[in-house]
Amino acid sequence: DIQMTQSPSAMSASVGDRVTITCRASQGINNFLAWFQQKPGKAPKRLIYAASSLQSGVPSRFSGSGSGTEFTLTISSLQPEDFATYYCLQHNNYPRTFGQGTKVEAK
Amino acid sequence: EVQLVQSGAEVKKPGQSLKISCKGFGYSFSSYYIGWVRQMPGKGLEWMGLIYPGDSDTRYSPSFQGQVTISSDKSISTAYLQWSSLKASDTAMYYCARQDTFDIWGQGTMVTVSA
């Protein structure tokens, strides 16, 4: 199985901060990576697909980059509604695998 | 509107069987994969497997192979996740999601297994 390692596992940030979350794959996955946001008690929501394509309706402060084994989700200016847990998902190989999640909390 | 609607919360005893559902609306159900994801209380997301309703091609995570069965009925735009003998450790929220990249998610079905 491909292991997806997210870092950090948790972080504290303030409104307006630039936030960067990294996902590393144990082997190359081309650009077959998606990013999700999950708020407590809610289903996850897709933010980014194909590593860098912004889901329709998602604010442009979210962006994704990377290819191969290293990927990044960036929030350019953190907003109050962005405090949540973020997950990456690789869909290059079976079984598909999620990262363990990154919880973004208020500082 | 494209949406996935899951069946309601379930409370079961260990050893009982269960089948939960995920119904698609607003798109050609047969043409998109449906995947299932487990989230145990306070934990992360786990990919369980997926099915292509058009031909019922199914893939499982090794972690879930033999533990659950994924199926679908394209005539009623519905995918299923079932257990033949539940364990307490199956207590979790289960989500279905569309496509291999999970662009649309169901609202989740909470399964509680307790004696």
Side-chain angles (χ1 to χ4, degrees):
Chain A
D1 299 5
I2 294 178
Q3 307 304 317
M4 303 299 295
T5 304
Q6 275 184 245
S7 60
S9 297
M11 62 183 301
S12 298
S14 300
V15 172
D17 283 354
R18 182 180 182 87
V19 169
T20 300
I21 298 167
T22 297
C23 204
R24 288 188 174 87
S26 59
Q27 64 189 78
I29 57 170
N30 299 295
N31 70 334
F32 293 112
L33 185 108
W35 289 98
F36 300 87
Q37 176 193 66
Q38 188 180 31
K39 296 181 179 178
K42 299 293 187 182
K45 169 187 169 184
R46 192 174 76 172
L47 302 174
I48 301 286
Y49 62 97
S52 60
S53 296
L54 189 67
Q55 175 73 26
S56 175
V58 172
S60 58
R61 63 181 178 274
F62 290 92
S63 63
S65 64
S67 184
T69 61
E70 186 154 337
F71 301 85
T72 299
L73 174 71
T74 300
I75 310 171
S76 60
S77 178
L78 193 69
Q79 298 301 300
E81 61 268 29
D82 300 337
F83 293 106
T85 301
Y86 295 85
Y87 296 92
C88 60
L89 167 73
Q90 70 81 19
H91 57 99
N92 188 68
N93 286 48
Y94 287 111
R96 311 316 195 198
T97 41
F98 285 96
Q100 80 277 17
T102 296
K103 188 171 185 178
V104 179
E105 298 175 300
K107 187 179 288 184
Chain B
E1 180 192 359
V2 175
Q3 59 179 332
L4 296 173
V5 178
Q6 297 186 229
S7 50
E10 300 275 0
V11 179
K12 292 289 189 180
K13 296 186 186 311
Q16 289 185 323
S17 62
L18 176 64
K19 191 173 191 177
I20 63 174
S21 65
C22 169
K23 185 172 175 65
F25 293 90
Y27 72 99
S28 175
F29 186 79
S30 297
S31 302
Y32 292 82
Y33 284 96
I34 292 287
W36 287 94
V37 175
R38 183 175 79 174
Q39 188 167 39
M40 300 177 77
K43 302 299 184 183
L45 305 174
E46 299 175 88
W47 188 89
M48 301 176 71
L50 54 67
I51 189 165
Y52 188 72
D55 61 8
S56 295
D57 181 41
T58 308
R59 303 289 186 118
Y60 292 93
S61 165
S63 300
F64 293 95
Q65 179 91 47
Q67 308 305 307
V68 297
T69 301
I70 294 171
S71 60
S72 67
D73 182 345
K74 61 185 179 183
S75 70
I76 55 171
S77 301
T78 301
Y80 302 98
L81 179 66
Q82 69 180 87
W83 296 259
S84 59
S85 181
L86 286 160
K87 309 180 191 66
S89 57
D90 293 318
T91 295
M93 180 71 82
Y94 293 88
Y95 293 103
C96 63
R98 192 184 77 156
Q99 281 210 73
D100 208 8
T101 55
F102 291 174
D103 62 341
I104 303 292
W105 291 66
Q107 82 276 19
T109 296
M110 184 67 209
V111 174
T112 303
V113 184
S114 174

